Amino acid sequence: MSNGLMTARMRRGEMTLGEKLWQVSWSFVLLISALAGIGVVMLYSAANGDMDPWASRHITRYGVGLVLLLVVALIDIRQWMRYAYWLYALAFVLLVAVEVKGTIGMGAQRWIDLGVIQLQPSELMKVALVLALARFFHGADLSDVGRPLYLVIPVLLVLAPVALVLRQPDLGTALMMLAGAAVLFFVAGVRLWMFALVVVAGLSVIPVAWQFLHDYQKQRVLTFINPERDPLGAGYHILQSKIALGSGGLTGKGFLQGTQSHLNFLPEKQTDFIFVMLAEEFGMLAGIGLLVLYVLVVAYGLAIALRTRNQFGRLVSIGVTVTFFLYVFINIAMVMGLIPVVGVPLPLVSYGGTAMLTLMLAFGLLISAWVHRDVQIGRRGAYDDG
Amino acid sequence: MQKDGDRSKVFARRVVLLAGGKALLVSLLGARMYYLQVMEAEKYRTLADENRINMRLIPPPRGRIVDRFGVPLAVNRQNFRALVIAERTRDLKQTLQTFADLVPLSDYDHQRVLKESSRRRSFVPVTVRENLTWEQMALVQVHAPNLPGVIIDEGLTRDYPYADLVSHILGYVAAVAEEDMIGDDPLLQLPDFRIGKAGIEKVYDLPLRGKAGASQVEVNAVGRMIRELRNEEGEPGHEVQLTIDMRLQDYASRRLGEQSAACVVMDVHTGELLAMASMPAYDPNAFARGLSQAEWAALANDPRAPLRNKALAGQYAPGSTFKMVVALAALESGIVNAEQTVYCPGHLRLGNHRFHCWKRGGHGHMNMTSALEQSCDVYFYEVSRRIGIERIADMARRMGLGAPLDIELPGEAPGLIPSKAWKTATLGQPWVQGETLVASIGQGYVLATPLQLAVMTARIANNGLAVRPTLCRQEIRDGHLVERPTPAFESIGVSKPFMGLVQNAMWRVVNGNRGTARGSAIDVDGQTMSGKTGTSQVRRITMQERQTGVRSNEELPWKFRDHALFVCFAPAEAPRYAISVIVEHAGGGSRHAAPIAHDVMLEALRLDPSRRRTTREVAAIRDAPPGEGGVRRLTDAETGAEESEERRPQ
């Protein structure tokens, strides 16, 4: 099979399953497996040196996630584009369902119990929104995105789920969706002055928005600004987190030796604060090491985006990469006291099913974009309607 | 494709920008990590250790206090207490109720336990009751299945086996008060810790206390102990040895009995106190346990002042026991010699005042020896008139009166030896001669403590060595307990013949035909006693009373009666012990103080380790009931003839 012939077939998306599997970026899979492995080690430590209850289930979930990733990766990118809006609609309906159920039931609920797993529609929406926006901007050229009116639909696509998520209320996810969407608008070529306009408008809205924040959200922001305000209450977590990080030093206290984590001074060490545990037990060197792995994942994502020849694939890659990056940045910045505590897990390392599945789904799309990088997709989604 | 090319270029450019932005954010994370984990690492390491490490103090056992032969006077007793751990009970209230059915539990304790356990974390034990008897402890143990969460804990409590017999010397321990929180000894922070509050317990508190052991434990976020990191052995408190002979102390205290009285027994050569009794006293065990308001009020309001160590803090007019000082001052002055006589008609006239002798009819011609023997007041009026107050005051100070003797206990009273300068300075009035006369018989302004009188007697007995009293074999030097070196006392500068003369006169007081204490003579293997009686007047006798006849002491209300005093030393032949006795509001010294001194002296001689006795002798001494030692008992007629000392002028 000659190289030229192969390329041509790839452009048309005519690949056998074997060829697709060959095209899967196994080094990337290895990379994320390494991250999940770090997660297993830390969860083992979080349980005071026990595979139960977290580490073993983390492995299972990652395994399931990996299968999901491959399935998603092997599905033709054009199929994803075709069903992008449908997926978005499904996620939206689920979001509404959660909202309705929450109003009827008791208090805030963020998930739907599917028996096997608890599905969190806002997580699904993160991926669906990326797909929907990518689909929308796939057909838009630079002159289109230059028109403000043209952007009304994608803005609505973003704001509708954000509003629902805010009502849950889940400030963290809402902000992540906003930021992820903004990046997609940015790489799609939306004019910079529009961003400036939105930023200015946003800043002026803050005082008003403050009134609508829940008390606990206000507390989080206030505590963030001055953690010593309430060292035993809201500020306690972040203070203990900083103590854990700082006391870890350059090389850490040793595996299973983290005093802050093992004596329960550190809150939620198996989920949101797992990075702190890593940095306490293995020191700053390990923290930097983990950060490097994450940067590599992001670099892979960006490289795939740059290498992909169809706009949909590019935008999906960027969307996935940015979402992933936001997870990492928000989580680490949060535990180090740079931003308020917003409850975002550390991707692939933190214990938690929904986030894991969302991520693997997203990575599946990324790999799908890679596998189908040379497929040419027409403006309306046809194979080639150039 | 051209459009797509433009779009690609914009896309690529913006992706690069995006990557740059991300790189910036990632470096921010790295910088923050560096700041927290490298630059601030030390600070957070300290905070992490403060988080997890708790110091648990292990209180050291308090040092014992023993007497000169090692008999323990203050010890630590096992104290059983019941604790309850709320989280191990099914229902705290129910458990407490069950407990109260077994061991009486006051409503107050009941409420306190409930309150404390609601305030503390549920795994922290709360004391339910302290000082359980062995039976109660056993009862709780037997019913353990019905008392989930109740545990028996053994602690140490201070125990004073002799209760009130040595309480004024030992003092007591009690809970740490706010004002005791001085220094940085962490032990003071312990809720159950007791410190010395009075007596030896207070003065020697630091060496007795010892050093706290520490156990460093790792705790988790809710304070539950995870493991022990380090265990530092404490240092038990030092043992303090007193010079007291507990057998003698015991005897003296019991001999004083119900009376408000004090008795000091001192070694005339070393100054060691063998006994220092002050009665009534208090039970220091009650203080260690904690006094109720009513108990405290009863102690504080008792007119016989059980809280006061009368031997140290009680100041009394020494009465006739002061006459030795006047006699020595006169001899030393050369103005009066021992053989010169003074005629005593029963009073001495000075200006418009008559100064009465205790004997209404007078003693007739008196020389120094007979004047001391019969305690003639007129003789000393006349002698003091000739030599003046300053010579008397000077001699009194040399004998150890008028200033604190720096014994190892707090609360020592200085006594008072008046002089012209003193009166001008404190009262702003000139000294008048009549006051010299009053002072010469130990009345008026003159005040002395029983301890000072014992020291005075010891200094006479040892031929004028400035012996100082001591109560403890060790002393604190630079914060350490060290053995007290054998003291070397200087002479007070009174010539031996003069001392010999006074000693002889004192011998005659007890052994002479007309001695005022002739009923209290002793003869232990040929060893005799010398002494001097004293009666100190508490109120003035009015002219009217003098004319209508002085009411006898027994007719007066208790608090107006005279104090009875007696000082003595023995053996007269080779003095070893000096004793002073004061019985408040008892009456005449010869009748009420001398017999006590007599009995205590007999006991002291019986216990004297230098005396070799045959077992039969020992048995004889032991079998002889006190008070039947021979010549002591007097007939009623004789006692009636004793001094009643109506001596103060109007």
Side-chain angles (χ1 to χ4, degrees), chain A residues 258-279:
Chain A
T259 58
Q260 289 284 104
S261 349
H262 290 290
L263 299 173
N264 292 330
F265 289 101
L266 193 64
E268 302 182 47
K269 55 178 181 281
Q270 78 280 16
T271 56
D272 292 358
F273 284 82
I274 197 159
F275 178 79
V276 179
M277 193 173 164
L278 173 95

Side-chain angles (χ1 to χ4, degrees), chain A residues 138 140-141 186 189-190 240 242-243 245-247 249 259-260 263-265 275 279 284 302 311 314 336, chain B residues 3 7-8 10-11 14 19 22 26 29 32-34 36-37 41 44-45 48 51-52 218-221 226:
Chain A
H138 172 79
D141 57 32
F186 175 71
V190 172
Q240 293 301 339
K242 279 158 79 177
I243 290 175
L245 278 164
S247 61
T259 58
Q260 289 284 104
L263 299 173
N264 292 330
F265 289 101
F275 178 79
M284 185 184 115
L302 294 181
Q311 183 73 351
R314 288 171 182 163
M336 290 198 295
Chain B
K3 275 189 301 184
R7 209 164 61 164
S8 294
V10 170
F11 178 82
R14 293 202 166 179
K22 286 175 179 172
V26 168
L29 293 183
R32 177 70 172 175
M33 223 181 284
Y34 180 77
L36 287 176
Q37 298 200 270
Y44 286 118
R45 235 189 294 276
N51 257 348
R52 77 186 174 101
E218 190 172 68
V219 295
N220 69 5
I226 303 298

